[in-house]
Amino acid sequence: MEVRCHHCGQVQSVGEDIFGDREEASLPCSSCGKTFQIISPKLASFHADATRKAVPTITSGISMDGLSLNLPQDQEIYLRVIEGREKGTVYPVTQPRITIGRANSDVIIHDRLSSRIHCSIEVMGPTVLLRDLDSTNGTLVNGQRIQTVTLSNGSIFRIGGHSFQLVVIPKGT
């Protein structure tokens, strides 16, 4: 499998046997020499520390349709990149509406197949919507182009060459 150094961004290959019977392992970067943690992709339980700079939490807002958006009080929501150049990156969902794209977005991915503002994630308490924002190449769920779809924990969606997984965990775990 390939992992990305959290310090310098260098990608390197490692065998899955690096984990042994553990859920995570420390790995020295072959480029910068700094040690970083990697999490086994075969975890039964998932707990993520953000790999991007934390931003202040905005807990409520209004959707494009005028619906009331709010983050759940008892859960944390993350987007984990499971395929593509950003593989291994975990983005915390700290606002009830975030955009994903290659520029001018809350989550920026380096993917020329992605539109500048490609899609959005909208959270209404326990409900998470994925909305395509008239992107050129579309947003895919189960290989099908979508406009708006409800996601559940573990749902996977694709933007260009990147696949994202929605991860919802109880707070404090």
Side-chain angles (χ1 to χ4, degrees), residues 118 132 134-148:
H118 196 98
D132 185 81
D134 297 323
S135 64
T136 302
N137 294 319
T139 302
L140 305 176
V141 174
N142 297 324
Q144 300 295 313
R145 195 170 179 154
I146 60 98
Q147 287 302 311
T148 303

Side-chain angles (χ1 to χ4, degrees), residues 3-9 24 35-39 46-55 76-82 85-94 106-110 164-165:
V3 296
R4 182 180 303 271
C5 174
H6 305 302
H7 304 287
C8 70
E24 58 183 52
T35 301
F36 63 98
Q37 294 289 112
I38 55 175
I39 298 172
F46 178 80
H47 175 70
D49 291 323
T51 55
R52 296 284 190 211
K53 182 179 177 183
V55 295
E76 295 176 347
I77 301 172
Y78 297 91
L79 293 177
R80 179 170 61 166
V81 183
I82 59 174
R85 184 175 177 195
E86 308 290 325
K87 183 177 179 179
T89 304
V90 177
Y91 297 97
V93 177
T94 59
D106 299 307
V107 173
I108 297 176
I109 57 173
H110 303 286
F164 291 82
Q165 182 178 38

Side-chain angles (χ1 to χ4, degrees), residues 58-106:
I58 300 169
T59 59
S60 64
I62 304 293
S63 76
M64 294 170 48
D65 301 334
L67 300 172
S68 179
L69 302 177
N70 58 347
L71 292 174
Q73 297 288 327
D74 58 346
Q75 296 175 323
E76 295 176 347
I77 301 172
Y78 297 91
L79 293 177
R80 179 170 61 166
V81 183
I82 59 174
E83 186 178 348
R85 184 175 177 195
E86 308 290 325
K87 183 177 179 179
T89 304
V90 177
Y91 297 97
V93 177
T94 59
Q95 302 174 68
R97 181 177 189 271
I98 63 168
T99 55
I100 305 168
R102 64 178 160 82
N104 304 326
S105 295
D106 299 307

